[in-house]
Amino acid sequence: MEKIIHKINILKKVEIFKKIFINDAIDKGIKTEFYCSNCSSQNEINIILYKTGFSFSELYETGILDEKDIIEYKMASKTSENYEYLGKYTVNNLPTLYFHIRCNKCLEKYIIIFSYGEKQPGLEVCEISGAWYYK
């Protein structure tokens, strides 16, 4: 897991196997997979809540990621007015984080964006918006 510090250009979204995890499914961490768009090898996404990820708002506030890309590639949505304290863009109006990983075979770069929080009393949700191949 790495932080992104230089401007990135999104090339393509890749599909991940499972995107939404609820209550008991998130207790021991989250694992899902995707196939690399370059070499087709299977890669694993591991999220340990409260340990994995960096603030998504850092990316668009510093110009590392263009806001038009966020909307065009459906990385996140404009945050509802009542939740703007979480940032201008969120996934499912929950605290949104990101991290960068590389393909385990060809080392191509991917950004993973996800949210985590209590959606309503007793309902904790982690939703992975997706994985995007970038340069």
Side-chain angles (χ1 to χ4, degrees), residues 76-115:
S77 301
K78 194 142 176 73
T79 305
S80 297
E81 190 175 307
N82 294 342
Y83 297 96
E84 286 180 341
Y85 64 92
L86 296 172
K88 190 173 181 179
Y89 300 99
T90 55
V91 174
N92 206 6
N93 286 318
L94 290 172
T96 301
L97 304 164
Y98 83 92
F99 60 96
H100 149 91
I101 60 175
R102 291 181 176 267
C103 173
N104 57 29
K105 186 174 182 184
C106 71
L107 302 179
E108 289 294 350
K109 298 180 238 177
Y110 290 87
I111 181 172
I112 312 299
I113 300 171
F114 70 99
S115 66

mmCIF file of all heavy atoms in Angstrom, residues 76-115:
data_model
loop_
_atom_site.group_PDB
_atom_site.id
_atom_site.type_symbol
_atom_site.label_atom_id
_atom_site.label_comp_id
_atom_site.label_asym_id
_atom_site.label_seq_id
_atom_site.Cartn_x
_atom_site.Cartn_y
_atom_site.Cartn_z
ATOM 1 N N ALA A 76 -15.977 8.430 -7.549
ATOM 2 C CA ALA A 76 -16.737 8.884 -6.384
ATOM 3 C C ALA A 76 -17.830 9.810 -6.908
ATOM 4 O O ALA A 76 -17.816 10.203 -8.072
ATOM 5 C CB ALA A 76 -15.830 9.609 -5.400
ATOM 6 N N SER A 77 -18.742 10.148 -6.033
ATOM 7 C CA SER A 77 -19.843 11.047 -6.399
ATOM 8 C C SER A 77 -19.727 12.330 -5.585
ATOM 9 O O SER A 77 -19.095 12.353 -4.525
ATOM 10 C CB SER A 77 -21.183 10.398 -6.081
ATOM 11 O OG SER A 77 -21.325 9.195 -6.766
ATOM 12 N N LYS A 78 -20.371 13.363 -6.082
ATOM 13 C CA LYS A 78 -20.432 14.610 -5.328
ATOM 14 C C LYS A 78 -21.151 14.311 -4.016
ATOM 15 O O LYS A 78 -22.192 13.664 -4.005
ATOM 16 C CB LYS A 78 -21.172 15.670 -6.128
ATOM 17 C CG LYS A 78 -21.010 17.051 -5.601
ATOM 18 C CD LYS A 78 -20.902 18.014 -6.775
ATOM 19 C CE LYS A 78 -20.828 19.439 -6.325
ATOM 20 N NZ LYS A 78 -19.584 19.800 -5.732
ATOM 21 N N THR A 79 -20.575 14.739 -2.932
ATOM 22 C CA THR A 79 -21.113 14.456 -1.610
ATOM 23 C C THR A 79 -22.410 15.223 -1.377
ATOM 24 O O THR A 79 -22.522 16.391 -1.747
ATOM 25 C CB THR A 79 -20.077 14.856 -0.533
ATOM 26 O OG1 THR A 79 -18.848 14.180 -0.815
ATOM 27 C CG2 THR A 79 -20.542 14.492 0.857
ATOM 28 N N SER A 80 -23.375 14.571 -0.745
ATOM 29 C CA SER A 80 -24.627 15.233 -0.370
ATOM 30 C C SER A 80 -24.333 16.377 0.593
ATOM 31 O O SER A 80 -23.383 16.312 1.379
ATOM 32 C CB SER A 80 -25.586 14.251 0.297
ATOM 33 O OG SER A 80 -25.940 13.230 -0.588
ATOM 34 N N GLU A 81 -25.157 17.380 0.532
ATOM 35 C CA GLU A 81 -24.948 18.601 1.317
ATOM 36 C C GLU A 81 -24.741 18.331 2.807
ATOM 37 O O GLU A 81 -23.880 18.934 3.444
ATOM 38 C CB GLU A 81 -26.152 19.529 1.125
ATOM 39 C CG GLU A 81 -25.961 20.906 1.693
ATOM 40 C CD GLU A 81 -27.121 21.813 1.368
ATOM 41 O OE1 GLU A 81 -27.485 21.931 0.187
ATOM 42 O OE2 GLU A 81 -27.656 22.415 2.334
ATOM 43 N N ASN A 82 -25.482 17.407 3.381
ATOM 44 C CA ASN A 82 -25.377 17.125 4.818
ATOM 45 C C ASN A 82 -24.073 16.439 5.211
ATOM 46 O O ASN A 82 -23.752 16.356 6.396
ATOM 47 C CB ASN A 82 -26.546 16.247 5.271
ATOM 48 C CG ASN A 82 -27.872 16.948 5.159
ATOM 49 O OD1 ASN A 82 -27.932 18.172 5.062
ATOM 50 N ND2 ASN A 82 -28.946 16.185 5.161
ATOM 51 N N TYR A 83 -23.325 15.934 4.234
ATOM 52 C CA TYR A 83 -22.102 15.182 4.528
ATOM 53 C C TYR A 83 -20.844 15.844 3.965
ATOM 54 O O TYR A 83 -19.792 15.218 3.912
ATOM 55 C CB TYR A 83 -22.215 13.757 3.969
ATOM 56 C CG TYR A 83 -23.335 12.975 4.604
ATOM 57 C CD1 TYR A 83 -24.586 12.908 3.989
ATOM 58 C CD2 TYR A 83 -23.155 12.322 5.808
ATOM 59 C CE1 TYR A 83 -25.622 12.206 4.570
ATOM 60 C CE2 TYR A 83 -24.187 11.618 6.398
ATOM 61 C CZ TYR A 83 -25.423 11.563 5.771
ATOM 62 O OH TYR A 83 -26.440 10.863 6.355
ATOM 63 N N GLU A 84 -20.941 17.090 3.559
ATOM 64 C CA GLU A 84 -19.802 17.766 2.934
ATOM 65 C C GLU A 84 -18.567 17.848 3.822
ATOM 66 O O GLU A 84 -17.463 18.024 3.331
ATOM 67 C CB GLU A 84 -20.210 19.148 2.436
ATOM 68 C CG GLU A 84 -21.062 19.072 1.190
ATOM 69 C CD GLU A 84 -21.478 20.435 0.664
ATOM 70 O OE1 GLU A 84 -21.431 21.426 1.425
ATOM 71 O OE2 GLU A 84 -21.850 20.491 -0.518
ATOM 72 N N TYR A 85 -18.739 17.698 5.120
ATOM 73 C CA TYR A 85 -17.585 17.696 6.024
ATOM 74 C C TYR A 85 -16.652 16.509 5.723
ATOM 75 O O TYR A 85 -15.489 16.503 6.120
ATOM 76 C CB TYR A 85 -18.024 17.675 7.492
ATOM 77 C CG TYR A 85 -18.775 16.427 7.898
ATOM 78 C CD1 TYR A 85 -18.094 15.335 8.425
ATOM 79 C CD2 TYR A 85 -20.157 16.339 7.745
ATOM 80 C CE1 TYR A 85 -18.771 14.183 8.789
ATOM 81 C CE2 TYR A 85 -20.839 15.197 8.109
ATOM 82 C CZ TYR A 85 -20.148 14.126 8.630
ATOM 83 O OH TYR A 85 -20.823 12.987 8.985
ATOM 84 N N LEU A 86 -17.159 15.508 5.004
ATOM 85 C CA LEU A 86 -16.338 14.347 4.631
ATOM 86 C C LEU A 86 -15.502 14.593 3.386
ATOM 87 O O LEU A 86 -14.649 13.788 3.042
ATOM 88 C CB LEU A 86 -17.237 13.125 4.390
ATOM 89 C CG LEU A 86 -18.005 12.612 5.607
ATOM 90 C CD1 LEU A 86 -18.990 11.535 5.179
ATOM 91 C CD2 LEU A 86 -17.047 12.090 6.660
ATOM 92 N N GLY A 87 -15.759 15.697 2.695
ATOM 93 C CA GLY A 87 -15.043 16.017 1.467
ATOM 94 C C GLY A 87 -16.020 16.286 0.344
ATOM 95 O O GLY A 87 -17.201 15.952 0.418
ATOM 96 N N LYS A 88 -15.513 16.881 -0.714
ATOM 97 C CA LYS A 88 -16.339 17.242 -1.864
ATOM 98 C C LYS A 88 -16.856 16.011 -2.598
ATOM 99 O O LYS A 88 -17.954 16.015 -3.154
ATOM 100 C CB LYS A 88 -15.507 18.119 -2.803
ATOM 101 C CG LYS A 88 -16.276 18.759 -3.911
ATOM 102 C CD LYS A 88 -15.376 19.737 -4.677
ATOM 103 C CE LYS A 88 -16.134 20.414 -5.791
ATOM 104 N NZ LYS A 88 -15.267 21.362 -6.509
ATOM 105 N N TYR A 89 -16.060 14.937 -2.623
ATOM 106 C CA TYR A 89 -16.436 13.694 -3.303
ATOM 107 C C TYR A 89 -16.295 12.522 -2.332
ATOM 108 O O TYR A 89 -15.302 12.423 -1.608
ATOM 109 C CB TYR A 89 -15.538 13.438 -4.514
ATOM 110 C CG TYR A 89 -15.604 14.539 -5.531
ATOM 111 C CD1 TYR A 89 -14.624 15.520 -5.586
ATOM 112 C CD2 TYR A 89 -16.661 14.607 -6.432
ATOM 113 C CE1 TYR A 89 -14.693 16.545 -6.520
ATOM 114 C CE2 TYR A 89 -16.733 15.632 -7.370
ATOM 115 C CZ TYR A 89 -15.749 16.592 -7.402
ATOM 116 O OH TYR A 89 -15.819 17.606 -8.316
ATOM 117 N N THR A 90 -17.301 11.658 -2.320
ATOM 118 C CA THR A 90 -17.275 10.482 -1.459
ATOM 119 C C THR A 90 -17.883 9.294 -2.198
ATOM 120 O O THR A 90 -18.522 9.444 -3.226
ATOM 121 C CB THR A 90 -18.078 10.697 -0.151
ATOM 122 O OG1 THR A 90 -19.408 11.091 -0.485
ATOM 123 C CG2 THR A 90 -17.431 11.734 0.754
ATOM 124 N N VAL A 91 -17.690 8.133 -1.620
ATOM 125 C CA VAL A 91 -18.350 6.921 -2.086
ATOM 126 C C VAL A 91 -19.443 6.631 -1.072
ATOM 127 O O VAL A 91 -19.159 6.446 0.113
ATOM 128 C CB VAL A 91 -17.352 5.736 -2.178
ATOM 129 C CG1 VAL A 91 -18.070 4.448 -2.522
ATOM 130 C CG2 VAL A 91 -16.257 6.050 -3.181
ATOM 131 N N ASN A 92 -20.695 6.690 -1.527
ATOM 132 C CA ASN A 92 -21.842 6.368 -0.678
ATOM 133 C C ASN A 92 -21.982 7.309 0.526
ATOM 134 O O ASN A 92 -22.466 6.912 1.577
ATOM 135 C CB ASN A 92 -21.746 4.905 -0.225
ATOM 136 C CG ASN A 92 -23.070 4.295 0.102
ATOM 137 O OD1 ASN A 92 -24.115 4.894 -0.100
ATOM 138 N ND2 ASN A 92 -23.033 3.081 0.616
ATOM 139 N N ASN A 93 -21.501 8.557 0.398
ATOM 140 C CA ASN A 93 -21.557 9.546 1.478
ATOM 141 C C ASN A 93 -20.911 9.048 2.772
ATOM 142 O O ASN A 93 -21.358 9.364 3.869
ATOM 143 C CB ASN A 93 -22.993 10.005 1.757
ATOM 144 C CG ASN A 93 -23.510 10.923 0.693
ATOM 145 O OD1 ASN A 93 -22.801 11.805 0.213
ATOM 146 N ND2 ASN A 93 -24.747 10.729 0.289
ATOM 147 N N LEU A 94 -19.852 8.271 2.634
ATOM 148 C CA LEU A 94 -19.093 7.772 3.780
ATOM 149 C C LEU A 94 -17.651 8.238 3.650
ATOM 150 O O LEU A 94 -17.205 8.596 2.559
ATOM 151 C CB LEU A 94 -19.142 6.240 3.815
ATOM 152 C CG LEU A 94 -20.493 5.626 4.159
ATOM 153 C CD1 LEU A 94 -20.452 4.112 3.953
ATOM 154 C CD2 LEU A 94 -20.908 5.955 5.579
ATOM 155 N N PRO A 95 -16.884 8.240 4.750
ATOM 156 C CA PRO A 95 -15.474 8.610 4.656
ATOM 157 C C PRO A 95 -14.786 7.790 3.562
ATOM 158 O O PRO A 95 -14.908 6.567 3.534
ATOM 159 C CB PRO A 95 -14.918 8.277 6.044
ATOM 160 C CG PRO A 95 -16.115 8.376 6.944
ATOM 161 C CD PRO A 95 -17.276 7.897 6.118
ATOM 162 N N THR A 96 -14.108 8.483 2.654
ATOM 163 C CA THR A 96 -13.546 7.844 1.472
ATOM 164 C C THR A 96 -12.027 7.890 1.495
ATOM 165 O O THR A 96 -11.435 8.932 1.778
ATOM 166 C CB THR A 96 -14.117 8.510 0.206
ATOM 167 O OG1 THR A 96 -15.551 8.371 0.249
ATOM 168 C CG2 THR A 96 -13.602 7.868 -1.056
ATOM 169 N N LEU A 97 -11.431 6.756 1.186
ATOM 170 C CA LEU A 97 -9.980 6.590 1.234
ATOM 171 C C LEU A 97 -9.489 5.987 -0.077
ATOM 172 O O LEU A 97 -10.274 5.496 -0.884
ATOM 173 C CB LEU A 97 -9.604 5.655 2.391
ATOM 174 C CG LEU A 97 -10.108 6.080 3.768
ATOM 175 C CD1 LEU A 97 -10.022 4.924 4.735
ATOM 176 C CD2 LEU A 97 -9.312 7.265 4.273
ATOM 177 N N TYR A 98 -8.183 6.014 -0.250
ATOM 178 C CA TYR A 98 -7.579 5.405 -1.435
ATOM 179 C C TYR A 98 -6.233 4.810 -1.045
ATOM 180 O O TYR A 98 -5.660 5.130 -0.002
ATOM 181 C CB TYR A 98 -7.371 6.451 -2.549
ATOM 182 C CG TYR A 98 -6.102 7.240 -2.363
ATOM 183 C CD1 TYR A 98 -4.908 6.833 -2.959
ATOM 184 C CD2 TYR A 98 -6.050 8.353 -1.520
ATOM 185 C CE1 TYR A 98 -3.723 7.520 -2.755
ATOM 186 C CE2 TYR A 98 -4.880 9.042 -1.309
ATOM 187 C CZ TYR A 98 -3.719 8.630 -1.923
ATOM 188 O OH TYR A 98 -2.541 9.297 -1.698
ATOM 189 N N PHE A 99 -5.718 3.963 -1.900
ATOM 190 C CA PHE A 99 -4.325 3.529 -1.824
ATOM 191 C C PHE A 99 -3.902 3.060 -3.207
ATOM 192 O O PHE A 99 -4.728 2.872 -4.098
ATOM 193 C CB PHE A 99 -4.076 2.464 -0.749
ATOM 194 C CG PHE A 99 -4.842 1.194 -0.923
ATOM 195 C CD1 PHE A 99 -4.269 0.097 -1.542
ATOM 196 C CD2 PHE A 99 -6.132 1.078 -0.429
ATOM 197 C CE1 PHE A 99 -4.970 -1.089 -1.678
ATOM 198 C CE2 PHE A 99 -6.841 -0.107 -0.564
ATOM 199 C CZ PHE A 99 -6.265 -1.197 -1.190
ATOM 200 N N HIS A 100 -2.624 2.898 -3.378
ATOM 201 C CA HIS A 100 -2.040 2.526 -4.658
ATOM 202 C C HIS A 100 -1.389 1.160 -4.501
ATOM 203 O O HIS A 100 -0.758 0.885 -3.485
ATOM 204 C CB HIS A 100 -1.010 3.606 -5.026
ATOM 205 C CG HIS A 100 0.146 3.125 -5.826
ATOM 206 N ND1 HIS A 100 0.153 3.135 -7.185
ATOM 207 C CD2 HIS A 100 1.342 2.625 -5.452
ATOM 208 C CE1 HIS A 100 1.316 2.669 -7.621
ATOM 209 N NE2 HIS A 100 2.037 2.354 -6.580
ATOM 210 N N ILE A 101 -1.603 0.303 -5.486
ATOM 211 C CA ILE A 101 -0.913 -0.985 -5.499
ATOM 212 C C ILE A 101 -0.384 -1.237 -6.907
ATOM 213 O O ILE A 101 -0.771 -0.550 -7.855
ATOM 214 C CB ILE A 101 -1.814 -2.169 -5.058
ATOM 215 C CG1 ILE A 101 -3.032 -2.312 -5.972
ATOM 216 C CG2 ILE A 101 -2.225 -2.025 -3.612
ATOM 217 C CD1 ILE A 101 -3.878 -3.535 -5.667
ATOM 218 N N ARG A 102 0.512 -2.212 -7.015
ATOM 219 C CA ARG A 102 1.055 -2.605 -8.315
ATOM 220 C C ARG A 102 0.659 -4.038 -8.602
ATOM 221 O O ARG A 102 0.524 -4.845 -7.692
ATOM 222 C CB ARG A 102 2.576 -2.482 -8.314
ATOM 223 C CG ARG A 102 3.048 -1.046 -8.253
ATOM 224 C CD ARG A 102 4.576 -0.996 -8.281
ATOM 225 N NE ARG A 102 5.053 0.359 -8.308
ATOM 226 C CZ ARG A 102 5.344 1.036 -9.411
ATOM 227 N NH1 ARG A 102 5.202 0.462 -10.588
ATOM 228 N NH2 ARG A 102 5.777 2.269 -9.358
ATOM 229 N N CYS A 103 0.517 -4.329 -9.877
ATOM 230 C CA CYS A 103 0.241 -5.695 -10.308
ATOM 231 C C CYS A 103 1.373 -6.590 -9.807
ATOM 232 O O CYS A 103 2.552 -6.225 -9.900
ATOM 233 C CB CYS A 103 0.142 -5.760 -11.831
ATOM 234 S SG CYS A 103 0.010 -7.447 -12.465
ATOM 235 N N ASN A 104 1.017 -7.754 -9.288
ATOM 236 C CA ASN A 104 2.036 -8.651 -8.740
ATOM 237 C C ASN A 104 2.919 -9.285 -9.805
ATOM 238 O O ASN A 104 3.938 -9.868 -9.500
ATOM 239 C CB ASN A 104 1.394 -9.725 -7.859
ATOM 240 C CG ASN A 104 0.351 -10.534 -8.586
ATOM 241 O OD1 ASN A 104 0.410 -10.729 -9.796
ATOM 242 N ND2 ASN A 104 -0.638 -10.998 -7.850
ATOM 243 N N LYS A 105 2.552 -9.149 -11.087
ATOM 244 C CA LYS A 105 3.354 -9.746 -12.156
ATOM 245 C C LYS A 105 4.068 -8.680 -13.005
ATOM 246 O O LYS A 105 5.280 -8.721 -13.166
ATOM 247 C CB LYS A 105 2.482 -10.627 -13.049
ATOM 248 C CG LYS A 105 3.246 -11.390 -14.088
ATOM 249 C CD LYS A 105 2.350 -12.351 -14.836
ATOM 250 C CE LYS A 105 3.148 -13.143 -15.854
ATOM 251 N NZ LYS A 105 2.281 -14.007 -16.654
ATOM 252 N N CYS A 106 3.310 -7.736 -13.565
ATOM 253 C CA CYS A 106 3.915 -6.768 -14.496
ATOM 254 C C CYS A 106 4.196 -5.396 -13.871
ATOM 255 O O CYS A 106 4.754 -4.523 -14.526
ATOM 256 C CB CYS A 106 3.030 -6.594 -15.735
ATOM 257 S SG CYS A 106 1.492 -5.709 -15.434
ATOM 258 N N LEU A 107 3.786 -5.196 -12.621
ATOM 259 C CA LEU A 107 4.030 -3.978 -11.852
ATOM 260 C C LEU A 107 3.290 -2.730 -12.346
ATOM 261 O O LEU A 107 3.636 -1.624 -11.966
ATOM 262 C CB LEU A 107 5.537 -3.681 -11.747
ATOM 263 C CG LEU A 107 6.378 -4.788 -11.123
ATOM 264 C CD1 LEU A 107 7.839 -4.398 -11.095
ATOM 265 C CD2 LEU A 107 5.874 -5.140 -9.730
ATOM 266 N N GLU A 108 2.237 -2.903 -13.167
ATOM 267 C CA GLU A 108 1.410 -1.749 -13.551
ATOM 268 C C GLU A 108 0.740 -1.194 -12.303
ATOM 269 O O GLU A 108 0.489 -1.920 -11.340
ATOM 270 C CB GLU A 108 0.360 -2.148 -14.593
ATOM 271 C CG GLU A 108 0.941 -2.438 -15.948
ATOM 272 C CD GLU A 108 1.564 -1.242 -16.653
ATOM 273 O OE1 GLU A 108 1.417 -0.094 -16.201
ATOM 274 O OE2 GLU A 108 2.220 -1.456 -17.681
ATOM 275 N N LYS A 109 0.439 0.109 -12.333
ATOM 276 C CA LYS A 109 -0.088 0.797 -11.156
ATOM 277 C C LYS A 109 -1.615 0.889 -11.179
ATOM 278 O O LYS A 109 -2.209 1.146 -12.215
ATOM 279 C CB LYS A 109 0.483 2.205 -11.078
ATOM 280 C CG LYS A 109 1.979 2.246 -10.929
ATOM 281 C CD LYS A 109 2.443 3.669 -10.870
ATOM 282 C CE LYS A 109 3.430 3.904 -11.979
ATOM 283 N NZ LYS A 109 3.889 5.266 -12.056
ATOM 284 N N TYR A 110 -2.196 0.714 -9.987
ATOM 285 C CA TYR A 110 -3.640 0.810 -9.804
ATOM 286 C C TYR A 110 -3.951 1.643 -8.568
ATOM 287 O O TYR A 110 -3.264 1.532 -7.561
ATOM 288 C CB TYR A 110 -4.264 -0.581 -9.627
ATOM 289 C CG TYR A 110 -4.233 -1.380 -10.897
ATOM 290 C CD1 TYR A 110 -3.125 -2.156 -11.224
ATOM 291 C CD2 TYR A 110 -5.293 -1.325 -11.792
ATOM 292 C CE1 TYR A 110 -3.080 -2.875 -12.407
ATOM 293 C CE2 TYR A 110 -5.250 -2.040 -12.981
ATOM 294 C CZ TYR A 110 -4.148 -2.801 -13.277
ATOM 295 O OH TYR A 110 -4.102 -3.495 -14.454
ATOM 296 N N ILE A 111 -5.009 2.451 -8.679
ATOM 297 C CA ILE A 111 -5.518 3.169 -7.521
ATOM 298 C C ILE A 111 -6.809 2.479 -7.097
ATOM 299 O O ILE A 111 -7.647 2.155 -7.947
ATOM 300 C CB ILE A 111 -5.745 4.671 -7.806
ATOM 301 C CG1 ILE A 111 -6.254 5.387 -6.545
ATOM 302 C CG2 ILE A 111 -6.672 4.894 -8.970
ATOM 303 C CD1 ILE A 111 -6.313 6.895 -6.672
ATOM 304 N N ILE A 112 -6.929 2.212 -5.805
ATOM 305 C CA ILE A 112 -8.106 1.575 -5.231
ATOM 306 C C ILE A 112 -8.805 2.635 -4.379
ATOM 307 O O ILE A 112 -8.167 3.268 -3.540
ATOM 308 C CB ILE A 112 -7.727 0.374 -4.328
ATOM 309 C CG1 ILE A 112 -6.729 -0.552 -5.014
ATOM 310 C CG2 ILE A 112 -8.967 -0.344 -3.822
ATOM 311 C CD1 ILE A 112 -7.171 -1.192 -6.287
ATOM 312 N N ILE A 113 -10.103 2.815 -4.587
ATOM 313 C CA ILE A 113 -10.872 3.815 -3.832
ATOM 314 C C ILE A 113 -11.997 3.090 -3.105
ATOM 315 O O ILE A 113 -12.708 2.279 -3.699
ATOM 316 C CB ILE A 113 -11.430 4.898 -4.768
ATOM 317 C CG1 ILE A 113 -10.256 5.607 -5.468
ATOM 318 C CG2 ILE A 113 -12.285 5.896 -3.992
ATOM 319 C CD1 ILE A 113 -10.663 6.547 -6.560
ATOM 320 N N PHE A 114 -12.143 3.397 -1.805
ATOM 321 C CA PHE A 114 -13.175 2.738 -1.017
ATOM 322 C C PHE A 114 -13.679 3.659 0.087
ATOM 323 O O PHE A 114 -13.038 4.656 0.434
ATOM 324 C CB PHE A 114 -12.643 1.428 -0.418
ATOM 325 C CG PHE A 114 -11.611 1.612 0.664
ATOM 326 C CD1 PHE A 114 -11.958 1.537 2.000
ATOM 327 C CD2 PHE A 114 -10.280 1.845 0.340
ATOM 328 C CE1 PHE A 114 -11.004 1.695 3.001
ATOM 329 C CE2 PHE A 114 -9.315 2.000 1.325
ATOM 330 C CZ PHE A 114 -9.681 1.933 2.659
ATOM 331 N N SER A 115 -14.842 3.313 0.615
ATOM 332 C CA SER A 115 -15.396 4.058 1.748
ATOM 333 C C SER A 115 -15.720 3.075 2.857
ATOM 334 O O SER A 115 -15.912 1.880 2.612
ATOM 335 C CB SER A 115 -16.659 4.818 1.337
ATOM 336 O OG SER A 115 -17.692 3.922 0.993
#
